[in-house]
Amino acid sequence: MKFDVYFAFKNKDGKWCPGIKATPMDFDMLVSLLKSPSIKTLVEEVRKGDKSRKVELPSICWVGKTRTGHRSAAECDPTQFVMIDVDHVKDIDYCIENVRHDIALDDDLFKHVLCVHKTPSLGLRIVFRAYEDLPRLADQMDWLGKKLELSKYGDFDTAVKDFSRISFLVPYEDFVYINENIFRDKVTFDVEPIRADVNQGDEKA
């Protein structure tokens, strides 16, 4: 499978802006990008306090795929994946250890969770395959958030409301869990298409 990746660009005023033109990437292409020194350098700058550099990072749309090649809520179809964030994490290592442990011990989570990674701001992001009988993005996020008890680690973010929402990428070593079988389409699912909650997109931390 492929996900749409977007590369930041400078506008006519020389200001960095999140990408709007999609570059579809499969697992191997994405890993190669995540291992690039430029991403690591930018994330290090963000974590040192220069949050303005974050917008220069490439971003990915886990939840939607554009039909036209350009990012727009009206032109994105669901990938059937959902993104959930924990912000303002009190202890990131403790959070990672427990989330990975819970995924490993739960067959259902193990089959559905695509990846877990730190965010540029040292929160945690979980990307997972949509579950049956939960038709809305908000329902999916609420269900997984409660199952993993994410609120005990930080602020459980349910801000992803449409299929054009992007998230900034981080270095490969910040991906603390990857289910390569899902990335390579070795796991099959049968789920009704999920619905967005609003009709406007934006970028995520």
Side-chain angles (χ1 to χ4, degrees), residues 6 21-22 62 70 109 115 136 140 150 166 169 177 190:
Y6 297 86
K21 186 176 181 180
W62 296 112
H70 291 79
L109 286 174
C115 63
R136 296 168 59 247
Q140 296 278 347
L150 296 179
I166 57 175
L169 289 171
Y177 176 87
D190 184 17

Side-chain angles (χ1 to χ4, degrees), residues 1 18 25 34 46 49 65 70-71 73 80 86 118 161 167:
M1 75 178 57
M25 289 194 175
L34 297 175
V46 172
K65 187 169 183 61
H70 291 79
R71 185 168 66 91
Q80 295 305 108
V86 187
K118 299 176 186 177
K161 303 294 186 182
S167 60

Side-chain angles (χ1 to χ4, degrees), residues 139-151:
D139 297 332
Q140 296 278 347
M141 290 184 286
D142 186 62
W143 182 87
L144 190 73
K146 290 176 179 176
K147 186 174 181 66
L148 288 172
E149 300 182 283
L150 296 179
S151 60

Side-chain angles (χ1 to χ4, degrees), residues 8 21 43 45 47 51 72 75 80 86 90-91 110 121 129 131 135 143 146 164 176 183 195-196 203:
K21 186 176 181 180
V43 169
E45 291 297 316
R47 290 175 180 168
K51 297 188 182 301
S72 166
E75 298 169 347
Q80 295 305 108
V86 187
K90 304 174 185 70
D91 186 333
F110 183 77
S121 303
R129 192 65 163 79
Y131 281 81
W143 182 87
K146 290 176 179 176
S164 67
V176 297
F183 263 113
R195 299 195 307 268
E203 67 272 4

Side-chain angles (χ1 to χ4, degrees), residues 49-185:
D50 190 356
K51 297 188 182 301
S52 66
R53 303 296 305 274
K54 184 165 61 176
V55 72
E56 299 177 40
L57 287 163
S59 54
I60 190 167
C61 189
W62 296 112
V63 298
K65 187 169 183 61
T66 176
R67 297 188 297 274
T68 63
H70 291 79
R71 185 168 66 91
S72 166
E75 298 169 347
C76 282
D77 294 323
T79 61
Q80 295 305 108
F81 285 88
V82 183
M83 179 180 82
I84 187 172
D85 281 10
V86 187
D87 298 326
H88 309 114
V89 176
K90 304 174 185 70
D91 186 333
I92 188 65
D93 293 329
Y94 174 75
C95 177
I96 289 170
E97 180 182 358
N98 282 276
V99 168
R100 291 178 62 180
H101 178 265
D102 290 344
I103 293 171
L105 292 183
D106 189 306
D107 288 342
D108 201 32
L109 286 174
F110 183 77
K111 289 193 303 183
H112 279 78
V113 175
L114 176 72
C115 63
V116 180
H117 70 82
K118 299 176 186 177
T119 67
S121 303
L122 285 178
L124 195 73
R125 177 166 296 128
I126 303 168
V127 183
F128 63 100
R129 192 65 163 79
Y131 281 81
E132 296 180 16
D133 303 323
L134 294 171
R136 296 168 59 247
L137 279 172
D139 297 332
Q140 296 278 347
M141 290 184 286
D142 186 62
W143 182 87
L144 190 73
K146 290 176 179 176
K147 186 174 181 66
L148 288 172
E149 300 182 283
L150 296 179
S151 60
K152 70 182 181 183
Y153 305 115
D155 297 329
F156 169 34
D157 183 4
T158 59
V160 181
K161 303 294 186 182
D162 70 79
F163 300 126
S164 67
R165 186 68 176 249
I166 57 175
S167 60
F168 294 115
L169 289 171
V170 291
Y172 182 71
E173 56 263 35
D174 281 349
F175 277 73
V176 297
Y177 176 87
I178 295 177
N179 189 327
E180 190 173 336
N181 285 332
I182 300 179
F183 263 113
R184 297 192 184 280
D185 294 313

